[in-house]
Amino acid sequence: MKAVIEVDSAAPARWNYAVAVLSNIEKAFGSNPRRYRLELVAFGPGIRMLSIWNDAHNRMPLTQLAAHGLKIRACHNAMLANHLTRKDIFAFARVVPAGVLEVARKEMQGYVALKP
């Protein structure tokens, strides 16, 4: 299974839901990342999910999921629009030029796009 989870909302309830979806997928497939590939892409107002200033609540579950193979991507365009620098984003997130293009690229690679 390959899935890319889009987060483009500033609503913490949506962030919590995205983390719950990711956690449930991991539980269903176990801690063996060879059985699945997951990527979370935060863009637009959703970039705040990865900001050290706005969302300390999701730091721990995202850290744990990243340790089990979740790839976390932060949209550079959204960072610029929200006046965020690399230092403002969780260290385990990788910055990509455009979040929407990252989602499209993953879909072309056979990933299913989920938008909780």
Side-chain angles (χ1 to χ4, degrees):
M1 179 180 156
K2 300 188 295 187
V4 58
I5 288 74
E6 303 177 43
V7 179
D8 65 353
S9 171
R14 293 273 304 275
W15 304 342
N16 294 337
Y17 188 48
V19 169
V21 167
L22 290 162
S23 296
N24 288 338
I25 292 171
E26 182 192 38
K27 286 176 190 169
F29 285 97
S31 61
N32 182 352
R34 291 184 203 150
R35 296 185 66 198
Y36 60 89
R37 291 188 210 158
L38 296 175
E39 185 168 314
L40 178 138
V41 180
F43 59 95
I47 193 66
R48 295 182 195 131
M49 179 183 192
L50 303 180
S51 169
I52 62 173
W53 308 112
N54 292 323
D55 193 41
H57 174 74
N58 282 324
R59 180 190 317 250
M60 187 55 68
L62 288 175
T63 301
Q64 291 171 343
L65 287 164
H68 291 141
L70 171 66
K71 294 179 181 173
I72 300 171
R73 307 297 187 231
C75 174
H76 186 254
N77 290 333
M79 288 170 59
L80 291 175
N82 286 274
H83 310 289
L84 298 170
T85 67
R86 180 65 186 107
K87 293 181 212 174
D88 298 319
I89 300 297
F90 294 143
F92 50 78
R94 188 177 124 221
V95 177
V96 295
V100 182
L101 293 178
E102 179 71 10
V103 171
R105 188 172 65 84
K106 288 297 176 184
E107 285 181 312
M108 290 173 20
Q109 294 173 355
Y111 282 65
V112 136
L114 304 173
K115 191 171 181 178

